Amino acid sequence: KNQVEQSPQSLIILEGKNCTLQCNYTVSPFSNLRWYKQDTGRGPVSLTIMTFSENTKSNGRYTATLDADTKQSSLHITASQLSDSASYICVVSDRGSTLGRLYFGRGTQLTVWP
Amino acid sequence: EADIYQTPRYLVIGTGKKITLECSQTMGHDKMYWYQQDPGMELHLIHYSYGVNSTEKGDLSSESTVSRIRTEHFPLTLESARPSHTSQYLCASSLVGPGETQYFGPGTRLLVL
């Protein structure tokens, strides 16, 4: 069964600290993996996308890694800011259909305190 | 920021009412999607469209219906709302292709009393 599991479910950190969010997936055949940021009351916004051949991708203070062999990804946030408070969703796409079906994790709810 | 809009943003209605959630995008995307998301849970695909006059059901069984008469417009209709329909509904669009990024609207939070 194609699944995406994220951990931790929630995380509280102090402003300026770093943190790492985890994503494990069983989706096959794999096409790509995205990390989305979803602010409260808003739709998700894409942060990074990685294909099978990529093992790291950065977007400002966000750095995503991918290990396609172990089917694991992480999102590292450096020097956190209050505006980083949001839900971070790992989304894996398969290539087994023309739709490019997406499998969503439940997200990690990150809270950054001053 | 993506040019995809949803109205209303919040809706509180009584059981049995007919409602239509609006979704419009100005990016010229052929593919559009509707997702349902409950608090703390993953997004579930309920409808999608490849283009004008194309509509398909998604993974999650839904009593809603959709139409795609114009490329930019993808409304979702509930003929008779029930409390079980209370949720957040997210619209998204993308270019054609399995690897294309989906751009999401801000969502509609629906509460059925």
Side-chain angles (χ1 to χ4, degrees):
Chain A
K1 183 180 176 182
N2 290 322
Q3 285 185 312
V4 177
E5 301 286 343
Q6 292 187 242
S7 62
Q9 183 177 350
S10 61
L11 181 63
I12 300 174
I13 61 173
L14 294 177
E15 187 178 14
K17 298 296 185 183
N18 304 334
C19 67
T20 300
L21 315 180
Q22 300 291 342
C23 173
N24 296 334
Y25 63 92
T26 60
V27 177
S28 181
F30 174 85
S31 177
N32 58 64
L33 184 147
R34 286 183 173 86
W35 284 92
Y36 277 87
K37 177 186 180 187
Q38 184 175 21
D39 292 314
T40 300
R42 308 291 298 179
V45 175
S46 181
L47 292 175
T48 63
I49 175 174
M50 288 180 292
T51 59
F52 184 89
S53 59
E54 298 174 295
N55 55 26
T56 186
K57 183 72 69 76
S58 290
N59 177 1
R61 295 180 296 102
Y62 301 103
T63 300
T65 65
L66 173 65
D67 186 333
D69 292 330
T70 61
K71 298 187 176 180
Q72 295 180 324
S73 176
S74 66
L75 179 69
H76 186 75
I77 304 175
T78 304
S80 61
Q81 299 176 358
L82 299 180
S83 60
D84 292 332
S85 295
S87 178
Y88 292 84
I89 303 172
C90 177
V91 185
V92 181
S93 177
D94 75 7
R95 52 182 172 84
S97 67
T98 55
L99 178 64
R101 179 175 170 160
L102 300 185
Y103 296 87
F104 291 81
R106 294 185 176 185
T108 291
Q109 183 65 48
L110 174 66
T111 303
V112 181
W113 283 3
Chain B
E1 193 161 321
D3 296 320
I4 181 164
Y5 310 97
Q6 290 186 242
T7 57
R9 293 293 315 280
Y10 303 91
L11 181 61
V12 181
I13 61 167
T15 297
K17 299 293 185 183
K18 177 181 178 179
I19 61 169
T20 296
L21 308 185
E22 301 288 348
C23 176
S24 297
Q25 50 96 6
T26 59
M27 297 173 283
H29 289 167
D30 282 323
K31 293 173 74 172
M32 295 190 74
Y33 317 78
W34 275 103
Y35 291 90
Q36 187 173 339
Q37 184 183 31
D38 293 319
M41 301 296 287
E42 63 268 45
L43 278 72
H44 291 286
L45 181 67
I46 53 176
H47 296 284
Y48 61 97
S49 166
Y50 287 108
V52 172
N53 294 327
S54 155
T55 60
E56 304 285 345
K57 287 189 179 295
D59 309 317
L60 184 66
S61 174
S62 175
E63 293 162 349
S64 58
T65 59
V66 292
S67 62
R68 190 89 183 276
I69 299 173
R70 304 198 314 266
T71 298
E72 62 272 19
H73 195 213
F74 191 40
L76 180 145
T77 298
L78 277 167
E79 291 293 333
S80 180
R82 295 207 303 268
S84 61
H85 296 139
T86 295
S87 188
Q88 174 165 253
Y89 293 85
L90 290 162
C91 180
S93 71
S94 73
L95 294 170
V96 174
E100 294 295 336
T101 297
Q102 292 188 17
Y103 295 89
F104 287 84
T108 294
R109 287 185 179 271
L110 174 64
L111 172 61
V112 183
L113 302 175

